[in-house]
């Protein structure tokens, strides 16, 4: 019994320790990467579904560590929130991306918008207003070309926390509800918030082709968005069939590998020169 007890212990402990150690290492490296600004940004175009022209870009954060290798934002953003570095991380993303977008607008005749993802906790923090206005001033990007994407978690919060939202809107910055349909936003709260756009989550875009109920649902989501005076953007379009359905439904914009994967900043001017990405 003693031997098996010991075996169990021996088999168990190194694993637990290894995962705890790995996690600790990731946290340490992430803290350092944010401080030393060792993260990268890639940009995915948002396409106008009536013309196929690039309407703007969404900045997406990338992190590749020399020892740990590339780590997905799906993994490191929640860690950044937990260890308290999401604010400096977002400040860096905003500054870099707005600087780029100001440049794109100099080389393009069209208005090119920029979308930046903001964690719900940060969105409700009054610091965000000062950060955004500072970055816009510093980079010269007009406020109406910046769109902040925040998930539906925002919509569930009570009105007191929405002072930030009001100040951002007053500044002229746009707000989009990201991953729309996966959270619990109600018609009532959405109609109070006056968001500028709704982004339909890839989950629905994927299922739309095999499930007629989901297809109808997507149609209704687009209609609902329009009745709230929102633009509706679909994410994760990979197939031409999906594009055609969304166009029939009157969806305003889309993103997805069908048009372009997220690209490095030096590939953006090429995309801007194309008349259409269809
Ligand atoms: P999201 O905001 O919903 O972004 C869309 C994700 O889908 C991105 O993944 C994008 O690369 C991917 N995607 C776009 N088109 C397609 C497609 O056609 N097919 C497939 N399979 N995927 C597609 P990514 O870049 O890995 O980002 C994952 C999530 O991490 C984002 O989801 C966002 O919630 C978060 N994130 C990324 N960058 C930032 C950031 O700077 N700040 C914050 N707070 N969150 C970020
Ligand atoms: Ca311009
Ligand atoms: Ca997003
Ligand atoms: Ca999504």
């Amino acid at each position: 019994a003693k031997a098996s007890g010991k075996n169990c212990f021996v088999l168990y402990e190194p694993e637990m320790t290894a995962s705890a150690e790995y996690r600790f290492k990731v946290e340490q490296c992430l803290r350092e990467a944010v401080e030393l600004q060792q993260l990268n940004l890639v940009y995915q175009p948002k396409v106008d579904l009536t013309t196929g022209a690039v309407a703007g870009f969404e900045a997406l954060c990338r992190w590749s560590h020399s020892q740990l290798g590339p780590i997905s934002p799906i993994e490191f953003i929640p860690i950044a929130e937990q260890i308290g570095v999401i604010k400096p991380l977002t400040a860096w993303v905003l500054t870099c991306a707005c600087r780029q977008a100001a440049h794109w607008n100099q080389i393009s005749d069209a208005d090119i918008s920029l979308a930046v993802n903001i964690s719900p906790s940060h969105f409700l923090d009054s610091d965000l207003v000062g950060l955004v206005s500072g970055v816009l001033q510093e980079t010269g990007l007009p406020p109406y070309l910046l769109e902040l994407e925040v998930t539906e978690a925002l919509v569930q919060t009570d009105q007191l926390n929405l002072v930030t939202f009001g100040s951002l809107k007053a500044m002229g910055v746009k707000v989009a509800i990201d991953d729309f349909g996966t959270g619990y936003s109600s018609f009532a709260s959405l109609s109070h918030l006056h968001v500028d756009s709704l982004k339909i989550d890839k989950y629905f875009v994927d299922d739309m082709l095999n499930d007629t109920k989901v297809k109808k649902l997507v149609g209704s989501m687009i209609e609902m968005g329009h009745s709230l005076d929102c633009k509706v953007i679909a994410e994760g379009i990979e197939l031409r069939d999906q594009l055609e359905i969304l166009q029939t439904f009157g969806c305003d914009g889309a993103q997805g590998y069908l048009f372009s994967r997220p690209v490095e900043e030096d590939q953006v001017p090429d995309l801007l020169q194309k008349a259409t990405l269809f």
Side-chain angles (χ1 to χ4, degrees):
K2 198 182 174 189
S4 87
K6 195 188 169 196
N7 274 347
C8 271
F9 193 74
V10 168
L11 280 176
Y12 225 82
E13 201 199 15
E15 256 179 63
M16 299 272 288
T17 312
S19 74
E21 256 172 30
Y22 175 77
R23 167 73 189 215
F24 185 70
K25 173 97 175 140
V26 171
E27 289 178 3
Q28 240 181 343
C29 293
L30 184 59
R31 239 186 225 108
E32 190 181 80
V34 172
E35 198 179 323
L36 301 176
Q37 310 196 331
Q38 288 166 339
L39 301 165
N40 285 312
L41 286 179
V42 288
Y43 300 93
Q44 187 179 38
K46 287 192 181 180
V47 172
D48 179 327
L49 281 186
T50 51
T51 62
V54 174
F57 289 86
E58 175 178 2
L60 293 159
C61 205
R62 294 289 177 265
W63 180 35
S64 185
H65 186 264
S66 54
Q67 287 156 34
L68 301 168
I71 297 180
S72 161
I74 297 172
E75 203 178 322
F76 75 76
I77 294 290
I79 298 177
E81 287 167 9
Q82 283 157 30
I83 65 173
V85 299
I86 193 68
K87 284 196 206 175
L89 185 153
T90 306
W92 175 82
V93 172
L94 264 174
T95 308
C96 273
C98 287
R99 196 177 288 139
Q100 282 299 320
H103 172 65
W104 303 332
N105 279 282
Q106 278 173 344
I107 62 174
S108 166
D109 291 332
D111 273 351
I112 305 300
S113 69
L114 169 75
V116 173
N117 293 287
I118 307 287
S119 296
S121 64
H122 195 190
F123 200 93
L124 297 171
D125 191 311
S126 54
D127 286 2
L128 186 68
V129 179
L131 172 65
V132 169
S133 69
V135 169
L136 290 175
Q137 216 158 23
E138 184 191 327
T139 60
L141 184 71
Y144 71 94
L145 292 180
L146 176 63
E147 184 155 59
L148 304 179
E149 296 190 0
V150 64
T151 58
E152 280 176 292
L154 170 77
V155 185
Q156 298 162 45
T157 57
D158 65 58
Q159 297 293 319
L160 274 182
N161 289 328
L162 295 173
V163 181
T164 311
F165 182 88
S167 311
L168 290 165
K169 296 295 305 172
M171 216 189 284
V173 169
K174 304 270 165 76
V175 176
I177 299 294
D178 210 350
D179 299 339
F180 180 67
T182 63
Y184 299 91
S185 49
S186 67
F187 286 97
S189 37
L190 270 179
S191 63
H192 284 301
L193 269 178
H194 302 295
V195 295
D196 298 279
S197 43
L198 300 181
K199 292 188 76 176
I200 299 181
D201 196 69
K202 181 178 192 302
Y203 170 86
F204 299 100
V205 175
D206 282 342
D207 274 14
M208 195 170 65
L209 293 180
N210 317 314
D211 190 334
T212 50
K213 277 187 195 155
V214 174
K215 183 175 159 181
K216 283 188 209 159
L217 190 60
V218 169
S220 308
M221 287 162 97
I222 293 168
E223 224 173 282
M224 191 197 97
H226 287 161
S227 42
L228 293 169
D229 279 331
C230 293
K231 294 248 182 257
V232 182
I233 313 295
E235 61 175 34
I237 285 80
E238 294 178 348
L239 304 167
R240 198 150 279 278
D241 287 350
Q242 293 168 326
L243 167 64
E244 278 159 19
I245 294 170
L246 291 164
Q247 282 175 316
T248 318
F249 283 152
C251 190
D252 305 283
Q255 286 173 283
Y257 295 172
L258 177 66
F259 313 113
S260 168
R261 290 193 172 242
V263 300
E264 304 276 338
E265 66 192 39
D266 60 357
Q267 290 171 272
V268 167
D270 280 350
L271 287 171
L272 288 176
Q273 283 195 328
K274 294 190 180 173
T276 174
L277 296 191
F278 285 165

